[in-house]
């Protein structure tokens, strides 16, 4: 097994698809685009006029013109400069606002598409890949929208108008200035084909590094229990080193690119000065006009240099855009809306086979039936397939073969009824930023405060909620009042009560509470499941002892099944697990074999 995560399940859009998406988004906002271009054009024209007027001023001073004439030219010069600054600022603002609008819509579409993706695809891609796309990739594009795009727009307009102005002074000056174009193009043609693939690999390496870190943090207890810290650290170091090496490669290419750009600027400025000198000497051009041409080109050093140098960030933004558009363009594969009503609250898995990778099954022909209202516990050692089986029963994963039924209806046929009929709670509880009441209403929009309090009372959370600074109105989640792991899980269980599903699947829903909160959470989970069909991945065997039936899963197969007392009398696999559980002490909890 490689130490570096290398899977890339979610697609990345091609350059053509990225351009297609961007073009369509800009066409939808053509008034804003036209306004930004108009303001930028006025700013660039005013900038060119400022330099041209400076040349006129030089000639008038050399001619010994009257003070009034010189003052009038100077006033025009100042007016052009002020107009250019105002128009450029307005163009930058409008361009940034336009880009921010496009980015906001893209982020919303990515999030909406991710929420509709099959869970198997999301799990296969890993949280690191998703987080890097909606996080660092979106940030990279946002920086380009705020800084790079306005710079590019103003630089292109200023460069074009400056060359036209130089040609207007004398076609030979325009020709000398135009020499810069092929030199810049040659520099870009050298740089872009070499840097583009490296930037794409760098973004992927960042996602892989994030995935490795997320996996290590989420499994930190298992990592320590099995003394895997050294192995995980080596993997993280390898992923980080790969990303670092790619960054160094890009920087090396960029440094060589800068050298080519500087040489082009030196050659062209020299050509303009020599041409101007010859034209002044034979009387074809004035000193002021030559000075204006030289200043025009010299003024282009900064915007044109910025235009070329920001290709570094353009490449990054382009790679990030391709990753976001790749998510948006994932084809919809949802089932038809026509839904089949479950006949009852039973759940049945028939000869289920499932594997995360082709040819490597995790479950081998598992058959399990839960009668309406029955509470069944799944136990077994790590890697036995319990969470996978629970995810299939909840409709999160689909079996490779066999069938998963709810009330006699295949789970895919339930359509939008699936999430209302079956609810799943895992140990990875999410508390969203905002008022606690709004967090609870995610399960039942429009629920009155009395309903929220009743649900909290069922899971024994009402006392600590009332003790919060603002009760149900207290802001929780990121930046809000911090909740303990046990409190966050009680919120999740209260949402379960509000949703009122017929079937409940709990996947180690009390695992993160710690020994002190375990009893409270077990009682809360039991209350939330009351009257419902329940499948429980039991982190603690006390949950199995309280279940109607216990199924022991080992190596993807059910090896024992029956009531807790019956299995103890049989003195088989479950009895051994129970004795190991009973022998555990608080000080040895993390070093014993986990029964999860």
């Amino acid at each position: 097994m490689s130490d570096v995560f290398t899977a890339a399940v979610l697609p990345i859009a091609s350059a053509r698809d990225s351009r297609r998406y961007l073009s369509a988004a800009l066409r939808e906002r053509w008034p804003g685009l036209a306004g930004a271009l108009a303001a930028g054009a006025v700013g660039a024209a005013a900038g060119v006029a400022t330099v041209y007027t400076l040349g006129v001023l030089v000639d008038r001073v050399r001619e010994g013109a009257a003070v009034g004439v010189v003052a009038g030219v100077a006033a025009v010069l100042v007016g052009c400069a002020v107009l250019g600054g105002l128009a450029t600022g307005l163009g930058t603002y409008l361009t940034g606002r336009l880009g921010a609008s496009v980015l906001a819509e893209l982020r919303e579409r990515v999030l909406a598409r991710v929420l509709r993706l099959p869970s198997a695809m999301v799990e296969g891609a890993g949280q690191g890949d998703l987080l890097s796309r909606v996080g660092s990739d979106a940030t990279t594009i946002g920086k380009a929208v705020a800084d790079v795009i306005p710079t590019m727009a103003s630089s292109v307009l200023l460069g074009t108008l400056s060359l036209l102005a130089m040609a207007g002074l004398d076609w030979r000056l325009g020709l000398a200035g135009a020499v810069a174009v092929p030199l810049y193009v040659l520099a870009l043609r050298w740089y872009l084909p070499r840097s583009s693939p490296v930037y794409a690999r760098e973004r992927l390496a960042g996602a892989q590094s994030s995935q490795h870190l997320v996996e290590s943090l989420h499994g930190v207890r298992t990592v320590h229990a099995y003394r895997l810290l050294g192995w995980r650290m080596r993997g993280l170091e390898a992923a980080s080193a790969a990303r670092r090496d790619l960054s160094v490669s890009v920087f090396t290419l960029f440094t060589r690119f800068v050298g080519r750009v500087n040489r082009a600027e030196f050659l062209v400025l020299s050509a303009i000065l020599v041409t101007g000198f010859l034209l002044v000497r034979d009387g074809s051009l004035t000193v002021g006009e030559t000075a204006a041409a030289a200043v025009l080109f010299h003024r282009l050093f900064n915007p044109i240099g910025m235009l070329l140098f920001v290709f570094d960030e353009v490449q990054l933004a382009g790679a990030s855009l391709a990753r976001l558009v790749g998510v948006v363009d994932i084809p919809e594969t949802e089932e038809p809306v026509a839904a089949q009503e479950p006949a009852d609250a039973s759940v049945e898995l028939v000869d289920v086979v499932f594997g995360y990778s082709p040819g490597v099954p995790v479950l081998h022909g598992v058959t399990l039936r839960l009668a309406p209202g029955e509470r069944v516990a799944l136990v077994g050692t790590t890697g036995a397939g319990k969470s996978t089986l629970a995810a299939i029963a909840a409709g999160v994963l689909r079996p490779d073969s066999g069938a998963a039924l709810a009330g006699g209806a295949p789970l895919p046929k339930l359509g939008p009824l699936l999430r209302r009929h079956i609810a799943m709670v895992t140990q990875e509880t999410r508390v969203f930023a905002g008022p606690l009441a709004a967090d609870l209403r995610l399960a039942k929009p429009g629920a009155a405060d009395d309903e929220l309090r009743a649900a909290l009372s069922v899971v024994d959370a009402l006392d600590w909620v009332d003790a919060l600074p603002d009760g149900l109105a207290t802001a929780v989640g990121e930046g809000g009042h911090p909740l303990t792991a046990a409190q966050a899980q009680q919120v999740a269980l209260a949402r379960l009560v509000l949703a009122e599903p017929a079937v409940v699947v709990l996947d180690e829903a009390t695992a993160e509470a710690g020994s002190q909160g375990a009893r409270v959470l077990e009682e809360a989970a039991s209350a939330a499941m009351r009257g419902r069909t329940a499948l429980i991945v039991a982190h603690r065997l006390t949950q199995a002892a309280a279940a109607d039936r216990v199924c022991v899963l080992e190596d993807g197969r059910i090896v024992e099944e029956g009531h807790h007392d019956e299995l103890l009398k049989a003195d088989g696999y479950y009895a051994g697990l129970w004795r190991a559980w009973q022998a555990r002490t608080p000080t040895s909890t993390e070093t014993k074999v986990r029964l999860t």
Side-chain angles (χ1 to χ4, degrees):
M1 180 182 296
S2 170
D3 284 352
V4 183
F5 175 77
T6 57
V9 176
L10 295 181
I12 297 174
S14 65
R16 174 183 291 181
D17 289 337
S18 297
R19 287 195 298 270
R20 172 190 52 76
Y21 179 89
L22 194 56
S23 298
L26 291 175
R27 282 197 301 271
E28 293 175 358
R29 298 165 173 79
W30 68 265
L33 178 61
L37 290 175
V42 170
V48 171
T50 301
V51 177
Y52 185 82
T53 306
L54 179 62
V56 174
L57 181 63
V58 170
D59 286 336
R60 296 296 177 271
V61 171
R62 290 185 72 250
E63 294 168 358
V67 174
V69 173
V70 173
V73 175
V76 172
L77 177 67
V78 172
C80 289
V82 172
L83 176 62
L86 293 174
T88 300
L90 178 61
T92 299
Y93 167 74
L94 292 176
T95 303
R97 190 174 72 169
L98 176 65
S101 172
V102 172
L103 177 59
E105 181 188 48
L106 177 59
R107 295 182 75 164
E108 290 173 1
R109 293 185 63 181
V110 168
L111 181 58
R113 189 67 193 95
V114 167
L115 293 175
R116 298 195 308 274
L117 286 177
S119 298
M121 179 179 287
V122 176
E123 292 293 331
Q127 294 185 26
D129 185 39
L130 280 175
L131 290 174
S132 67
R133 294 193 189 219
V134 300
S136 60
D137 286 328
T139 300
T140 298
I141 298 174
K143 185 176 185 300
V145 165
D147 301 329
V148 178
I149 294 177
T151 298
M152 289 185 65
S154 62
S155 297
V156 169
L157 289 170
L158 183 59
T160 302
L161 291 178
S162 295
L163 289 176
L164 291 175
M166 290 167 63
L169 291 170
D170 190 282
W171 67 269
R172 286 161 291 191
L173 281 177
L175 184 61
V179 172
V181 176
L183 294 178
Y184 288 149
V185 169
L186 287 174
L188 285 173
R189 284 176 62 85
W190 177 89
Y191 177 65
L192 294 181
R194 290 168 172 80
S195 60
S196 294
V198 183
Y199 276 115
R201 292 200 299 272
E202 184 186 20
R203 301 310 301 170
L204 179 58
Q208 292 170 352
S209 179
S210 298
Q211 175 65 16
H212 202 91
L213 182 60
V214 168
E215 287 178 343
S216 299
L217 290 175
H218 281 187
V220 63
R221 295 175 62 186
T222 302
V223 168
H224 284 293
Y226 288 96
R227 297 190 176 96
L228 298 176
L229 183 60
W231 177 72
R232 296 301 300 182
M233 287 300 298
R234 286 193 298 274
L236 184 58
E237 289 170 0
S240 300
R243 187 177 185 181
R244 177 204 62 211
D245 292 343
L246 288 169
S247 298
V248 171
S249 299
V250 166
F251 184 74
T252 301
L253 289 172
F254 183 68
T255 301
R256 296 171 64 184
F257 170 62
V258 169
R260 284 169 163 78
V261 171
N262 289 339
R263 284 195 295 272
E265 291 172 343
F266 171 76
L267 290 173
V268 176
L269 183 58
S270 299
I272 289 174
L273 291 175
V274 170
T275 302
F277 171 76
L278 295 174
L279 292 174
V280 170
R281 191 173 65 174
D282 66 13
S284 300
L285 213 64
T286 66
V287 172
E289 290 170 332
T290 302
V295 173
L296 277 173
F297 186 75
H298 192 272
R299 281 195 63 200
L300 290 179
F301 279 12
N302 185 51
I304 296 297
M306 287 296 296
L307 176 63
L308 295 175
F309 297 160
V310 295
F311 266 91
D312 177 57
E313 296 179 55
V314 170
Q315 296 281 76
L316 275 175
S320 297
L321 178 65
R323 286 165 56 78
L324 291 178
V325 174
V327 175
V328 172
D329 285 348
I330 295 175
E332 296 280 357
T333 57
E334 294 181 354
E335 295 292 327
V337 177
Q340 182 177 342
E341 279 279 0
D344 53 37
S346 65
V347 174
E348 189 172 6
L349 305 178
V350 182
D351 200 22
V352 166
V353 175
F354 179 84
Y356 292 97
S357 301
V360 188
V362 175
L363 299 176
H364 308 267
V366 175
T367 296
L368 174 65
R369 186 179 191 281
L370 284 70
E374 185 180 20
R375 191 175 298 186
V376 175
L378 283 177
V379 301
T381 54
T382 300
K386 302 182 302 303
S387 292
T388 301
L389 188 62
I392 290 175
V396 175
L397 299 177
R398 294 187 182 183
D400 296 333
S401 64
L405 311 171
L411 294 188
K413 297 291 186 182
L414 267 61
L417 296 178
L418 175 62
R419 294 278 69 88
R420 295 200 293 270
H421 187 73
I422 303 177
M424 186 175 188
V425 179
T426 71
Q427 61 179 316
E428 296 180 8
T429 303
R430 298 289 183 264
V431 176
F432 299 93
L436 178 59
D439 197 299
L440 292 168
R441 288 192 177 100
L442 290 171
K444 188 177 182 180
D449 284 357
D450 288 344
E451 293 179 84
L452 303 184
R453 294 178 61 81
L456 291 167
S457 179
V458 169
V459 298
D460 198 22
L462 192 55
D463 288 343
W464 65 259
V465 169
D466 284 340
L468 293 175
D470 298 310
L472 284 170
T474 302
V476 295
E478 185 175 356
H481 185 87
L483 301 183
T484 66
Q487 289 172 339
Q489 203 69 327
Q490 283 177 300
V491 170
L493 292 171
R495 288 199 294 250
L496 179 69
V497 174
L498 287 166
E500 299 181 319
V503 179
V504 175
V505 178
L506 300 185
D507 185 5
E508 298 189 8
T510 64
E512 299 300 322
S515 58
Q516 292 182 346
R519 176 63 61 184
V520 173
L521 269 190
E522 285 183 20
E523 292 176 355
S526 180
M529 292 184 292
R530 190 170 297 123
R532 316 181 200 280
T533 304
L535 180 63
I536 310 156
V537 177
H539 173 72
R540 294 176 173 81
L541 290 192
T542 49
Q543 296 171 299
D548 299 320
R549 183 158 46 104
V550 179
C551 291
V552 182
L553 206 64
E554 185 62 27
D555 193 27
R557 296 176 175 85
I558 294 180
V559 295
E560 278 187 330
E561 189 173 358
H563 188 269
H564 169 76
D565 294 334
E566 295 172 353
L567 294 179
L568 288 183
K569 289 179 182 178
D571 198 25
Y573 203 96
Y574 178 77
L577 292 176
W578 180 259
R579 285 192 293 270
W581 169 260
Q582 292 290 83
R584 294 172 70 179
T585 63
T587 56
S588 63
T589 297
E590 295 301 326
T591 57
K592 295 286 186 180
V593 175
R594 287 188 69 201
L595 304 178
T596 59

